[in-house]
Amino acid sequence: MLGLKLPTDPRWVNIVEKNINEILTDHAYCEQKAASYAISLITKYPEITEIVDKMIALSREEMGHFQMVHDLIKKRGLQLGRERKDSYVRDLMAFIKRGGNYEMVLVDRLLIAAMIEARSCERFRVLSENIRDEELSKFYHGLMTSEARHYSMFIKLAKKYGKDVDVDKRWKEFLAKEAEIMNNYGKQETVHG
């Protein structure tokens, strides 16, 4: 369904299991950043009512996920660490066509969000299937379905509002670029690292 070209090696979970606080802290900030990105789409496209409505709902949901992760951190007697930069997202953002026409930039922004949600979904699936911690396995399985839904929403919005853009072609370009980027990741205890 997701179309990712480079799957996560399940051995990545071995890295994650060595530092659960790190993955949980990184995950919490991923949720916060997703909420912030949804809000940024509202400020960039206030004239598209459907995007505004969907991003309001998404930002609330993502902050709800942030709270769930933070509650899990506290329950385990851990503490939310400092925010880290997400190099994966930075590398993807560099692929956005800047200075293009309005519709192309909108499509790219929506596809970036779809890509991040797709990779998060895939990582959460890998975690849910391979982590030995039963609580985290169930936790990540539940969040995996949300990420899949968000991915689908962004793809649908791109197709709806990118009428003069070959969205399928651009999505294939994103998939190829993301696979290239992922060759540099999978070695850290972070959601995208």
Side-chain angles (χ1 to χ4, degrees), residues 20 23-24 27-28 31 64-73 75-76 124-125 127-129 131 133-147 191:
I20 296 298
I23 188 74
L24 292 174
H27 178 192
E31 299 292 356
H65 292 168
F66 177 89
Q67 182 171 2
M68 289 168 57
V69 179
H70 189 243
D71 288 346
L72 187 58
I73 289 169
K75 177 182 172 188
R76 289 172 170 249
F124 291 170
R125 181 191 55 77
L127 278 169
S128 73
E129 292 175 356
I131 201 161
D133 185 310
E134 218 173 286
E135 180 182 34
L136 288 178
S137 175
K138 289 177 186 172
F139 181 71
Y140 281 109
H141 185 271
L143 288 176
M144 174 186 69
T145 57
S146 293
E147 303 298 302
V191 173

Side-chain angles (χ1 to χ4, degrees), residues 7-22:
T8 296
D9 185 331
R11 291 176 295 180
W12 166 73
V13 175
N14 298 333
I15 297 167
V16 168
E17 288 179 317
K18 291 177 184 167
N19 194 345
I20 296 298
N21 193 47
E22 182 66 25

Side-chain angles (χ1 to χ4, degrees), residues 39-113:
I39 292 167
S40 79
L41 289 174
I42 292 169
T43 61
K44 287 179 183 5
Y45 303 101
E47 69 282 3
I48 306 176
T49 302
E50 182 179 17
I51 288 179
V52 172
D53 288 342
K54 288 188 182 293
M55 294 307 107
I56 290 169
L58 181 63
S59 63
R60 286 181 179 146
E61 183 178 356
E62 298 289 18
M63 285 309 294
H65 292 168
F66 177 89
Q67 182 171 2
M68 289 168 57
V69 179
H70 189 243
D71 288 346
L72 187 58
I73 289 169
K74 292 186 301 184
K75 177 182 172 188
R76 289 172 170 249
L78 303 171
Q79 186 175 357
L80 180 66
R82 297 265 177 214
E83 178 187 5
R84 282 90 170 158
K85 298 294 178 197
D86 193 328
S87 300
Y88 166 83
V89 172
R90 182 204 61 222
D91 292 348
L92 272 180
M93 293 298 274
F95 193 60
I96 288 181
K97 290 185 179 176
R98 308 243 185 243
N101 71 48
Y102 172 89
E103 203 172 317
M104 184 71 228
V105 173
L106 169 60
V107 165
D108 270 15
R109 285 189 173 130
L110 294 169
L111 292 182
I112 278 283

